[in-house]
Amino acid sequence: MQITLSKHAGFCEGVQRAYSMVEKLTQDPIVKKPICVLGDLVHNGEVVARLEKIGVRKLDPKESLEEFITKNKEQIGTLVITAHGAGPKIYELSKKYQIDLVDTTCPRVIKVQRLAKNFFEKNVQIVIIGEKNHKEVVGIFQWGGESAIFVETEKDLKDLNLDPNKEIAVLSQTTQDQEFVKRAAAQISKKYPKAQILDSICLATHERQSEISQLTKNNEVVIIIGDPASSNSKRLFEIAKRSNKNSYFIQKAQQLEQKWFSGKKTVAITAGASTPAWIIEEVVLKLKNL
Ligand code: SF4
């Protein structure tokens, strides 16, 4: 069986950068411990577990951020913002409560946050094409003064009703489905010709999604490795499934099933931006041994 591994499988630049930064913090004696991450550093259970082993704690605030920080500030050595970014509040709170903050927000996400802030200050109506509960989108929404309108589904797109007298700017989640963003942008432009459309899908997403479309055509079986919590991994699976019904989503090598490959000669493997190299290597090895 011929195995083709995607050129873009695994950690994207932004996630790799955040992971390496946190790893270095754990080894730096000057950095205050414990290192606490606001949410999952990466949407991958195995990566989070590995970080926990080296002393990195995950914080999961259920109450408001301020209540949480007030209650727990003594237990936080250094606070880390993940590559997905966060709203402006955490920067204010860390100053107010004198908490050491390390910001690993991906530069590509910062760019979208800044756009959202600028548009809000100019009273422009922001539209975000993305999942409203996704961490990155929540941060962008907060930088945009919590005034943005979301387009997450076809129905949202159909029901979109904006004030035509107001300037409109359309942003997208960096890991959105590029086909959906293209379609949504075209429809919004048609309805509101003056709307500014800013393609904020990041290059890593573009490359990954374009490549998977090709791989699904050239291979009989497609394996997508990712955590169910990772929306970009699930999106890759949705794209693959559209053109190849023999596409499978797995978290780890043990989930591979021999019957998927019976009589098949070609298989492609890809992985979401939050899947670490060691999981991809295990999958490749297991496939070679099947
Ligand atoms: S997917 Fe793109 S924007 Fe998101 S962390 Fe990775 S490189 Fe940055």
Side-chain angles (χ1 to χ4, degrees), residues 95-276:
K95 265 194 202 139
K96 185 170 168 188
Y97 294 103
Q98 295 179 327
I99 293 172
D100 288 1
L101 191 70
V102 173
D103 187 0
T104 74
T105 308
C106 175
R108 292 179 175 116
V109 176
I110 294 177
K111 201 173 138 196
V112 191
Q113 292 174 344
R114 289 201 181 134
L115 285 168
K117 183 174 181 282
N118 284 339
F119 285 130
F120 172 64
E121 285 166 357
K122 290 181 184 146
N123 197 29
V124 175
Q125 175 61 63
I126 304 166
V127 176
I128 304 176
I129 306 174
E131 299 152 84
K132 58 173 168 279
N133 294 322
H134 188 275
K135 207 170 165 190
E136 174 198 310
V137 178
V138 172
I140 296 168
F141 177 70
Q142 290 172 350
W143 281 103
E146 308 201 353
S147 62
I149 292 171
F150 294 102
V151 171
E152 189 171 347
T153 60
E154 297 286 349
K155 185 174 180 307
D156 294 340
L157 189 55
K158 206 168 133 237
D159 296 345
L160 193 66
N161 188 11
L162 305 173
D163 178 354
N165 298 314
K166 213 172 165 184
E167 269 188 71
I168 299 163
V170 182
L171 301 171
S172 48
Q173 183 179 350
T174 60
T175 50
Q176 256 300 313
D177 179 345
Q178 53 185 359
E179 289 303 317
F180 179 61
V181 172
K182 233 190 260 170
R183 205 165 50 247
Q187 289 189 32
I188 296 171
S189 287
K190 202 172 164 198
K191 207 162 156 189
Y192 306 97
K194 288 190 187 149
Q196 294 186 63
I197 312 282
L198 293 117
D199 182 358
S200 44
I201 293 184
C202 99
L203 183 65
T205 308
H206 271 302
E207 287 174 339
R208 219 172 278 257
Q209 292 185 2
S210 305
E211 190 193 29
I212 190 71
S213 305
Q214 207 50 47
L215 288 174
T216 51
K217 283 180 202 140
N218 301 340
N219 290 275
E220 290 167 284
V221 183
V222 182
I223 302 295
I224 291 97
I225 318 163
D227 192 288
S230 157
S231 65
N232 78 83
S233 304
K234 284 190 288 184
R235 201 153 292 124
L236 283 178
F237 177 58
E238 283 159 19
I239 296 168
K241 198 83 186 163
R242 268 183 228 151
S243 47
N244 188 329
K245 63 176 178 30
N246 296 320
S247 300
Y248 302 96
F249 186 88
I250 58 164
Q251 264 178 281
K252 49 188 174 190
Q254 291 86 329
Q255 291 170 324
L256 287 171
E257 293 185 32
Q258 186 117 30
K259 63 178 185 217
W260 298 342
F261 310 97
S262 161
K264 304 286 194 287
K265 291 193 173 63
T266 51
V267 55
I269 303 171
T270 191
S274 43
T275 309

Side-chain angles (χ1 to χ4, degrees), residues 11 15-25 27 41:
F11 279 6
V15 168
Q16 184 59 57
R17 177 177 166 273
Y19 187 80
S20 307
M21 278 169 83
V22 171
E23 251 191 340
K24 275 193 199 131
L25 293 176
Q27 292 152 10
L41 183 73

